[in-house]
């Protein structure tokens, strides 16, 4: 028994160590997540809304969007570069500082014409009361410059993760996918919106349950789900389609069929950012040489851990393999 436990420990250490060889490029809509915490003890006399007294000692800032994907990959030990666009403003500078602290090589293009995307959440008693978004699409000139950098970086990475939050940072995503595939790189896409045609040729596309339903329609049985998923996958010429299904787990669709992983049995505290953790873990696992099904199992475990944390968060190798 002691020998078995020792082998298991070594195996976990080896798996954790192998992730450090992964070289991942994350491209997409980076943003700054800000949290203001306070207390509510009365309703405003001006309108039927709660008055939140903010505690300045409890304000928090975290990388969000594609920046959160990059931080999740870095937390697993991978060598991570983030290519994105921010404004010439305080939130952009703050985001760059946070990324550096988390071990992410931030290749950020600064656009004077925009504001860095910020999601401001007001929280009281562990409940989000309000979210305020600040955002402006990047200019054409900055996106063109980013695309040139993307082409130069491809030779230095194993996997590309394209994190689409619909903020305009991936306007050239179809061209990016083509460039990456010509370079022989795996391309993972976290999609957004109803037009998936621009993701054609990606290695793996990871819609959640509602995103997939929006594009492919609803289903009444697992057989119908499989049919719709395989039809979409073939239409997009993708090697794999992974649908994250919340409490129903994850289902992977490939040429060889489907592979389902049940959800991790744990209390769900906050699902925000869980998709970022899933695709980051997938990217790092595949870049380290792991097979697709094993990578999905690992990503499912990571997603189950991160939903037990408040706000956008990361998973460490100790949590994942411990």
């Amino acid at each position: 028994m002691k020998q078995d436990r020792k082998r298991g420990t070594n195996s976990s250490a080896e798996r954790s160590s192998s992730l450090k060889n992964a070289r991942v490029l994350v491209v997409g809509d980076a943003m700054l997540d800000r949290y203001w915490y306070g207390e509510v003890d009365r309703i405003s006399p001006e309108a039927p809304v709660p008055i939140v007294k903010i505690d300045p000692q409890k304000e928090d800032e975290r990388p969000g969007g594609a920046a959160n994907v990059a931080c999740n990959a870095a937390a697993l030990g991978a060598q991570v570069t983030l290519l994105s666009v921010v404004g010439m403003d305080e939130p952009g500078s703050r985001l760059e500082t946070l990324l550096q602290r988390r071990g992410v090589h931030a290749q950020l293009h600064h656009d004077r014409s925009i504001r860095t995307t910020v999601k401001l959440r007001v929280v009281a008693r562990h409940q989000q009361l309000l979210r305020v978004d600040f955002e402006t699409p990047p200019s054409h000139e900055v996106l063109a410059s980013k695309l040139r950098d993307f082409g130069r970086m491809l030779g230095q990475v194993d996997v590309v993760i394209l994190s689409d939050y619909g903020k305009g940072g991936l306007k050239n995503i179809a061209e990016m996918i083509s460039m990456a595939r010509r370079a022989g790189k795996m391309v993972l896409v976290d999609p957004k919106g109803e037009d998936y045609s621009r993701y054609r040729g990606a290695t793996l596309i990871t819609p959640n349950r509602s995103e997939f339903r929006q594009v492919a329609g609803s289903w009444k049985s697992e057989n119908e789900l499989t049919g719709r998923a395989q039809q979409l996958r073939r239409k997009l010429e993708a090697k794999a389609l992974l649908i994250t299904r919340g409490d129903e787990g994850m289902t992977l669709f490939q040429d060889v069929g489907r592979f389902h992983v049940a959800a991790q049995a744990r209390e769900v505290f906050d699902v925000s950012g869980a998709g970022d953790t899933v695709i980051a873990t997938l990217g790092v696992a595949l870049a380290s040489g792991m097979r697709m099904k094993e990578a999905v199992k690992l990503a499912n475990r990571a997603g189950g851990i991160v939903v037990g944390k408040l706000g956008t968060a990361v998973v460490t190798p100790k949590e994942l393999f411990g």
Side-chain angles (χ1 to χ4, degrees), residues 246-249 262-271 274 277 297-310 314-316 318-322:
D247 57 357
E248 295 179 347
Q264 296 287 308
R266 63 173 62 243
E267 182 179 358
V268 176
F269 190 64
D270 190 346
V271 298
T277 300
K297 289 179 183 178
L298 196 66
N300 184 60
R301 190 177 308 138
I305 294 170
V306 81
V307 295
K309 302 181 180 184
L310 178 63
V314 300
V315 175
T316 65
K318 183 177 180 180
E319 292 173 313
L320 200 54
F321 299 117

Side-chain angles (χ1 to χ4, degrees), residues 42-56:
R42 61 194 180 102
I43 301 299
S44 172
E46 303 167 357
V49 295
I51 296 176
V52 185
K53 185 178 180 181
I54 300 298
D55 184 346

Side-chain angles (χ1 to χ4, degrees), residues 52-220:
V52 185
K53 185 178 180 181
I54 300 298
D55 184 346
Q57 301 300 317
K58 294 183 179 180
E59 295 179 9
D60 192 15
E61 296 175 322
R62 305 178 191 178
N68 185 42
V69 175
C71 288
N72 269 272
L76 292 174
Q79 303 167 45
V80 186
T81 299
L82 171 66
L83 179 60
S84 191
V85 180
V86 296
M88 296 282 288
D89 52 16
E90 180 271 333
S93 298
R94 183 61 181 154
L95 180 58
E96 192 164 10
T97 298
L98 292 173
L99 288 166
Q100 290 172 349
R101 290 179 181 175
R102 286 161 173 77
V104 175
H105 175 59
Q107 187 71 28
L108 302 179
H109 287 243
H110 295 84
D111 190 338
R112 295 180 179 275
S113 67
I114 71 168
R115 299 178 65 173
T116 300
T117 298
V118 176
K119 290 183 179 180
L120 171 61
R121 296 172 174 88
V122 179
V123 182
R125 297 179 183 177
H126 300 296
Q127 292 185 336
Q128 185 179 150
L129 301 181
L130 177 69
R131 195 183 90 184
V132 182
D133 290 3
F134 305 87
E135 60 186 65
T136 316
S139 65
H140 174 75
E141 292 77 14
V142 169
L143 290 177
S145 177
K146 189 179 81 167
L147 184 61
R148 288 192 293 270
D149 278 356
F150 177 80
R152 287 194 292 267
M153 293 176 179
L154 283 175
Q156 306 166 20
V157 301
D158 306 303
V159 166
V160 175
I161 298 177
L162 301 175
S163 178
D164 192 354
Y165 270 79
K167 307 301 182 185
L170 286 175
K171 187 176 181 180
N172 300 315
I173 191 169
E175 191 170 354
M176 287 180 175
I177 292 173
S178 296
M179 292 168 65
R181 296 309 303 273
R182 286 196 299 269
K185 310 299 179 181
M186 288 183 284
V187 182
L188 282 57
V189 177
D190 190 357
K192 191 75 171 180
E194 299 181 1
D195 181 16
Y196 278 25
S197 62
R198 56 207 189 103
Y199 307 136
R200 187 182 307 278
T203 308
L204 173 65
I205 305 173
T206 64
N208 62 33
R209 183 168 44 193
S210 61
E211 289 168 341
F212 177 76
R213 183 182 290 112
Q214 184 180 15
V215 173
S218 59
W219 57 92
K220 296 182 179 179

Side-chain angles (χ1 to χ4, degrees), residues 9-21 75-78 284 288 290 298 316-318 320-322:
T9 300
N10 289 341
S11 176
S12 297
E14 290 170 2
R15 294 179 73 188
S16 177
S17 179
S18 70
L19 301 184
K20 296 180 181 179
N21 298 321
L76 292 174
V284 173
S288 69
M290 200 174 292
L298 196 66
T316 65
K318 183 177 180 180
L320 200 54
F321 299 117

